[in-house]
Amino acid sequence: MSINPINKINFRNWRGDLFGGITAAIVALPLALAFGVASGAGAIAGLHGAIIVGFFAALCGGTPAQVSGPTGPMTVVVTSVIATLVRRYPDTGLAMAFTVIMLGGLLQILFGVMRLGQYITLMSYTVISGFMSGIGVIIILLELPPILGHEGSGGVVTTLQKLPTYISNPNWIAVGLGLLTLVIVFAVPPKLNRVLPSPLLALVVVTIISVILFKDANIARIGEIPRGLPSLKMPTFTLPELDDMLRYGLMLGVLGAIDSLLTSLVADNITRTQHDSDKELIGQGIGNMLAGLFGGLPGAGATMRTVVNVQAGGRTPLSGMIHALVLLLVVFWAGPLTAQIPNAVLAGLLLKVGIDILDWGFIKRAPRLSLKGTGLMYLVLFLTVFVDLITAVLVGAFIANVLTIKRLTDVQSDNIQVITDSTERDKLTPAEQKILTEAKGDILLLKLGGPMSFGAAKSISRRMSFVQNYHVLVLDLTEVPHIGVTAALAIESIVEDAIAHHRHIWIVATSPQVRWRLEQLDLQRFWEVRQGENRCQALESAYNLIQRGSLT
């Protein structure tokens, strides 16, 4: 089934979409400025990213009411990319960073075309919680220098190394403005917040205070942002850095996909709709490719902006597009107004973002739910903060999958029964129990139940190794709906071992998938192997064979 890259725009809900888009833009404006400054690319890059990603992710995406733009997780990664490349290549590093953003968008498009959207969010919640909380910790740490009146250090480790110096020599005016910003965003009543979003209120109020009381004070401010349309940023790269650029691009692509699709799930929940994961990835990818091409920050589905949009009436992609167009108007006329915004105010806004990203609910409950899950969450958090996101996700996903496989293997092992005349036979019919009793151990019934994956292969072989003295083997697979390749090969090994000891085998299977898998193994090549219609008939045939003395 093909994916239509452009959404059909209708105006049936134009009033709700208009209010939703304007409200989302009001929320997005201060955050876009803050993310732009924090990234090192400048406030205008944050606005351009919000406009381009917001417009094209809505136009081409698969979540009708979602509003996209720069987010905390995406900004954390791109900040590291910009700092690293600019340090290595002062003249072309920023252009190379925008090329990385394009690569991330291209990879997201490929994820969508390859229909990987349904798999990206199939990840353990402990892993998602760990790296999201890790990103929250990174944002908090990186915003400590600006809120203390110093320039950011670029990386977590460097920031921690210099933190004692920052704390011992703060700019108290910047500290006061930053703390006032935090007080406003946390203390604004919900009713007022719905009318006038707290980030915008804090931005306006604290900026006015800084201009009136501290106009000539030595505090860092944004400065006037360029007005007009963005200029084209052609792809720039060097062969020595291509590997790192691809790795950074993969990091942005994967994080943007996870971030967007998690927000899509939130949008589905509050709008009672169903998003298209693959189409959403393509829309986000197109937005991010164009954002990099025009010097904007990368973005993803933004949870707070999406929720605000829906609460204000937004229901269709038109609301996300209106949000982007409102921000575009801001770029054309609000340049002089942003010049006086203190960096400490933006740092305060981002500290609130970092605190909100921390998964407080799960952090508090995790130890009661699972100690292993808690340990995994903190491991992923640590790797996210001090190594990188891709490593954190890969290690976390690997460990989570191993733990899951172990639990499934234990369940599958419990469904493996080796039954003779002296073992437990509660699930057998009286006729079957009678046959096994009269056979006096000459018949071995291997009964499997539930899906059999590769994790069950070892248990099957181990159970069989305990029983050696029998003449006929009955393999009962009637309760197995699905069998994996490794488990099927384990059964083949059991059959071959039984035949090597001159034993006869009956195999009973009802599932079409199990029958097909066994047919591919061609077990019928052994004349000692027979197909039974059901377990009782197989046991009767095996007993008759013993009675006739036909065993060789």
Side-chain angles (χ1 to χ4, degrees):
M1 184 175 64
S2 62
I3 298 176
N4 187 350
I6 304 296
N7 288 319
K8 293 182 179 179
I9 306 301
N10 65 74
F11 296 89
R12 290 192 294 271
N13 187 55
W14 70 268
R15 191 185 300 274
D17 290 333
L18 177 64
F19 286 124
I22 293 173
T23 306
I26 292 172
V27 174
L29 175 61
L31 295 177
L33 294 171
F35 288 135
V37 172
S39 71
I44 192 62
L47 280 176
H48 286 163
I51 293 166
I52 297 171
V53 178
F55 185 87
F56 287 97
L59 180 64
C60 306
T63 312
Q66 183 149 288
V67 175
S68 301
T71 63
M74 296 294 278
T75 303
V76 164
V77 176
V78 82
T79 299
S80 175
V81 173
I82 291 173
T84 301
L85 293 177
V86 169
R87 184 175 63 252
R88 295 177 185 173
Y89 302 92
D91 295 331
T92 60
L94 187 58
M96 293 168 69
F98 288 127
T99 303
V100 169
I101 296 172
M102 295 180 219
L103 287 172
L106 177 61
L107 288 171
Q108 287 181 318
I109 294 173
L110 290 177
F111 294 159
V113 171
M114 295 169 64
R115 298 195 176 277
L116 299 180
Q118 58 184 318
Y119 303 108
I120 288 176
T121 52
L122 290 180
M123 190 180 299
S124 168
Y125 185 81
T126 54
V127 177
I128 293 175
S129 175
F131 80 74
M132 283 299 184
S133 293
I135 288 168
V137 170
I138 292 174
I139 292 174
I140 292 170
L141 291 175
L142 294 183
E143 293 310 311
L144 289 178
I147 207 168
L148 292 169
H150 299 274
E151 289 189 10
S153 302
V156 170
V157 175
T158 306
T159 299
L160 289 174
Q161 290 172 341
K162 295 182 178 180
L163 193 56
T165 304
Y166 298 148
I167 295 174
S168 63
N169 185 32
N171 183 322
W172 289 110
I173 295 176
V175 172
L177 295 174
L179 291 178
L180 180 58
T181 302
L182 283 171
V183 169
I184 293 174
V185 294
F186 277 108
V188 168
K191 290 184 178 180
L192 177 60
N193 194 35
R194 283 193 289 269
V195 178
L196 184 59
S198 60
L200 183 65
L201 179 63
L203 183 74
V204 173
V205 170
V206 182
T207 299
I208 291 174
I209 291 174
S210 74
V211 171
I212 295 174
L213 300 181
F214 309 108
K215 184 175 183 180
D216 298 322
N218 183 27
I219 55 173
R221 300 180 187 270
I222 290 183
E224 187 170 339
I225 61 173
R227 286 183 282 183
L229 297 174
S231 58
L232 197 64
K233 309 287 185 184
M234 297 305 295
T236 304
F237 63 91
T238 63
L239 290 178
E241 293 295 328
L242 189 56
D243 285 348
D244 280 346
M245 291 177 69
L246 288 172
R247 182 169 61 86
Y248 290 138
L250 178 62
M251 196 179 301
L252 281 174
V254 171
L255 177 59
I258 294 172
D259 203 5
S260 296
L261 294 183
L262 289 177
T263 303
S264 295
L265 295 176
V266 173
D268 287 349
N269 186 52
I270 59 179
T271 61
R272 300 294 187 267
T273 57
Q274 184 67 41
H275 75 277
D276 185 332
S277 296
D278 300 313
K279 186 174 173 60
E280 181 63 31
L281 290 181
I282 292 174
Q284 293 290 338
I286 292 172
N288 281 315
M289 278 192 67
L290 292 174
L293 189 61
F294 289 98
L297 292 189
T303 303
M304 184 168 68
R305 277 156 272 178
T306 298
V307 171
V308 165
N309 174 47
V310 174
Q311 290 176 340
R315 291 294 184 276
T316 78
L318 183 62
S319 59
M321 297 165 66
I322 290 173
H323 139 271
L325 294 175
V326 171
L327 291 177
L328 181 62
L329 293 176
V330 170
V331 170
F332 278 107
W333 64 265
L337 299 180
T338 65
Q340 297 299 319
I341 298 175
N343 286 353
V345 174
L346 300 181
L349 296 178
L350 290 185
L351 277 175
K352 172 65 162 54
V353 171
I355 293 170
D356 288 343
I357 289 177
L358 287 169
D359 192 359
W360 296 108
F362 188 69
I363 290 173
K364 293 177 183 176
R365 295 181 297 161
R368 299 199 305 269
L369 297 174
S370 168
L371 291 178
K372 290 180 180 178
T374 303
L376 178 58
M377 179 192 68
Y378 281 113
L379 173 63
V380 173
L381 191 156
F382 178 84
L383 292 174
T384 301
V385 174
F386 293 104
V387 184
D388 62 61
L389 175 73
I390 292 296
T391 301
V393 171
L394 290 178
V395 171
F398 174 77
I399 295 176
N401 287 336
V402 168
L403 293 175
T404 301
I405 291 168
K406 178 63 170 62
R407 286 193 294 270
L408 291 176
T409 299
D410 291 341
V411 172
Q412 292 170 359
S413 297
D414 292 339
N415 289 327
I416 299 172
Q417 294 178 294
V418 178
I419 302 174
T420 65
D421 63 326
S422 59
T423 56
E424 188 66 35
R425 295 171 283 149
D426 291 342
K427 294 186 179 180
L428 301 182
T429 65
E432 293 167 343
Q433 292 185 24
K434 181 180 178 183
I435 292 172
L436 286 174
T437 300
E438 293 178 354
K440 298 179 180 179
D442 285 337
I443 297 176
L444 175 64
L445 173 61
L446 177 59
K447 184 175 180 297
L448 308 181
M452 290 287 129
S453 68
F454 64 88
K458 184 177 179 180
S459 297
I460 294 171
S461 301
R462 187 172 62 247
R463 296 288 181 90
M464 285 297 298
S465 67
F466 295 142
V467 183
Q468 299 295 334
N469 298 320
Y470 65 93
H471 293 102
V472 181
L473 173 64
V474 176
L475 283 171
D476 179 18
L477 307 177
T478 54
E479 296 181 9
V480 178
H482 177 89
I483 189 168
V485 172
T486 308
L489 292 174
I491 289 176
E492 182 185 46
S493 297
I494 292 171
V495 170
E496 291 175 342
D497 181 70
I499 291 171
H501 290 83
H502 309 292
R503 292 158 179 161
H504 289 248
I505 302 98
W506 265 266
I507 300 177
V508 183
T510 56
S511 165
Q513 191 275 340
V514 175
R515 284 177 174 270
W516 175 85
R517 183 77 77 190
L518 296 178
E519 286 173 3
Q520 304 312 302
L521 295 176
D522 192 24
L523 296 179
Q524 300 301 325
R525 67 185 185 273
F526 304 109
W527 69 270
E528 297 93 341
V529 176
R530 297 168 175 81
Q531 189 78 28
E533 294 184 7
N534 58 57
R535 183 174 62 209
C536 188
Q537 290 181 353
L539 289 171
E540 288 177 353
S541 299
Y543 183 66
N544 291 335
L545 186 65
I546 296 172
Q547 290 293 92
R548 292 197 304 268
S550 302
L551 299 175
T552 58

